[in-house]
Amino acid sequence: MEVSTPDAADVWNARSAVAAVVLSAVVVAPGVVSPAYARAGATAVLAFGVALSTRALASTLLAFVRREPPEARPETDRPSVSVLVTAYNEADVLTATVEACLALDYPADALDVVVGYEAASTDGTGDVAQRLAADHRRVAAVERAESPAGKAAATNHALDRASGDLVFVLDADQRPEPGALRRAVRWFRDDAVWCVKGRCFGANPRDSVLALCATVERGLVERTEFYARDLVGGFALFTGGQALFRTTALEALGRFDESLLVEDVDMAYRIRRAGGEIRVDPGVVTRETNPAGLSAWWSQRQRWARGGMQVARRHLDWSLTSGPPPLTARADFAATVTAVVALPIVALAAPLVVVALAVAPGQFPVDGAATPLWAWVALAPVLAASLLFVLDARDGRRHDPVEFAAVFLLWPYVGLQALAVVTVFVAAFVLGQESVYVTSTTPDED
């Protein structure tokens, strides 16, 4: 897979943007002459919004349920852990991440750190990795000499040096809190658990408005949505930023798929299909640095969106009619990947709401009876974000005061994210452009 950085890639893709405008016009135009078409399209947009907003608020409310892992093993019976950190042009954060790994509250003789770095890095990442290995006997630096091929390829290469009973996979910008590993390991007392996913907590909300909004968005996803899925038996999954695996599970399943942009969602599906369980524990926390620049943020969101579409194309089929996992998890997976594909279609059709208001005033869904539903769409996510702060306050976790402002920026932020998803949808399904793994950092990004 081709890999590029935001400063070198065509992240804005003007062809996709123009094609998206044309496609939206084609979708919307019939509504100008057909009020029934306009109403149907606007109703679909409203229904999609109600579903997403309701899920966001329901997940936040469910997340107030407390759940603790099993009791810890005796100190002499701890499984060994290899922490695997992958890095490409991340010299500025790598030292802090490795030092946080070495400071984990875990027996030193059962913990080692493998830094897998790309030789193609141009910001001194390799020098930092080699220095860390020279300074710390528990750190190994593993160079990947081939051309960069994405996160999955980097992880697979470094896995060859992992010797622990468990493998803690981290991005270079994920700094684990001291008690994160000890808590996560407790879940593996249940033999059915193959993976534990914690929470990525944004550490740089003051860097930019985008970093601010991404911090709160990630809080909603990582603290409430993923946790609620696991609580109710839905499709529990993990993100590539951080996850802890049984080594034997990875050996049984095979390596991460290097042809996909979101190898993490694919691996989560494979774990569940093989009968393994994924536990989501928001008490397992790593501090992350969210993209502050527009091009880095845009490329990250496009990568996630296109990767989700790849997973939908691969796994959304009739095999979901049978398990494992249980029906609730299979149905949730189907709904999740369907929503990934439906979101850009809904976004392209969104102008039909305005058209319906013009050609069919006083009729559903632009009449007074629909007002409470539109209000619900607008307010439920804002309420969910506000409750996130309450939830974290209950758990003794503090947010930067500036994050409270993000509640009022959610909808402009969602609109910008929808644009990123639409352009990548058009690139993939209309223009047929090849996938490119565009990183979220540039060699000179602060």
Side-chain angles (χ1 to χ4, degrees), residues 212-230:
L212 167 63
C213 292
T215 296
V216 176
E217 174 208 20
R218 293 280 282 170
L220 282 170
V221 172
E222 300 262 334
R223 177 61 183 91
T224 67
E225 167 69 16
F226 287 177
Y227 181 51
R229 285 173 182 267
D230 189 19

Side-chain angles (χ1 to χ4, degrees), residues 326-391:
L327 178 59
T328 52
R330 284 180 279 129
D332 191 27
F333 173 79
T336 298
V337 295
T338 298
V340 168
V341 178
L343 175 59
I345 298 173
V346 171
L348 289 168
L352 280 170
V353 176
V354 178
V355 173
L357 187 62
V359 303
Q363 300 182 51
F364 191 85
V366 291
D367 62 347
T371 300
L373 294 177
W374 289 111
W376 176 256
V377 171
L379 296 176
V382 174
L383 180 57
S386 302
L387 286 174
L388 169 67
F389 300 135
V390 175
L391 173 60

Side-chain angles (χ1 to χ4, degrees), residues 114-405:
V114 178
V115 179
Y117 68 93
E118 298 283 2
S121 296
T122 59
D123 68 342
T125 293
D127 293 337
V128 174
Q130 293 293 343
R131 175 180 58 78
L132 289 167
D135 291 346
H136 303 282
R137 62 177 181 79
R138 290 188 291 152
V139 177
V142 180
E143 179 184 77
R144 185 177 179 277
E146 297 87 354
S147 297
K151 170 67 183 296
T155 303
N156 288 338
H157 182 77
L159 274 171
D160 290 334
R161 288 291 298 273
S163 59
D165 301 316
L166 305 174
V167 179
F168 195 12
V169 178
L170 296 175
D171 283 351
D173 65 345
Q174 297 284 339
R175 298 166 295 282
E177 293 187 347
L181 181 59
R182 184 177 289 270
R183 180 180 175 95
V185 165
R186 288 164 58 186
W187 289 106
F188 289 96
R189 296 207 69 175
D190 181 352
D191 292 337
V193 174
W194 291 13
C195 172
V196 173
K197 155 68 182 166
R199 175 189 182 180
C200 304
F201 194 96
N204 62 324
R206 291 180 177 266
D207 283 0
S208 70
V209 173
L210 276 175
L212 167 63
C213 292
T215 296
V216 176
E217 174 208 20
R218 293 280 282 170
L220 282 170
V221 172
E222 300 262 334
R223 177 61 183 91
T224 67
E225 167 69 16
F226 287 177
Y227 181 51
R229 285 173 182 267
D230 189 19
L231 283 177
V232 301
F235 176 59
L237 71 161
F238 61 89
T239 56
Q242 54 112 306
L244 182 63
F245 301 90
R246 285 189 192 276
T247 303
T248 53
L250 292 179
E251 291 171 349
L253 292 169
R255 298 302 179 90
F256 290 93
D257 193 321
E258 298 180 13
S259 68
L260 297 177
L261 293 171
V262 289
E263 76 293 331
D264 44 9
V265 178
D266 174 74
M267 180 60 81
Y269 176 85
R270 288 161 58 192
I271 288 173
R272 300 305 308 278
R273 290 296 280 177
E277 293 289 337
I278 298 172
R279 286 285 79 82
V280 179
D281 185 348
V284 177
V285 179
T286 56
R287 296 272 177 168
E288 69 176 355
T289 303
N290 285 302
L294 181 57
S295 61
W297 177 89
W298 184 269
S299 65
Q300 181 190 69
R301 300 314 161 112
Q302 285 198 321
R303 183 175 74 244
W304 290 351
R306 183 148 191 181
M309 294 170 195
Q310 289 176 326
V311 170
R313 294 179 71 171
R314 172 172 296 185
H315 296 305
L316 192 59
D317 56 32
W318 290 107
S319 66
L320 287 171
T321 57
S322 62
L327 178 59
T328 52
R330 284 180 279 129
D332 191 27
F333 173 79
T336 298
V337 295
T338 298
V340 168
V341 178
L343 175 59
I345 298 173
V346 171
L348 289 168
L352 280 170
V353 176
V354 178
V355 173
L357 187 62
V359 303
Q363 300 182 51
F364 191 85
V366 291
D367 62 347
T371 300
L373 294 177
W374 289 111
W376 176 256
V377 171
L379 296 176
V382 174
L383 180 57
S386 302
L387 286 174
L388 169 67
F389 300 135
V390 175
L391 173 60
D392 278 340
R394 183 203 69 176
D395 295 339
R397 187 163 294 282
R398 297 186 59 178
H399 287 262
D400 189 312
V402 74
E403 293 180 46
F404 297 102

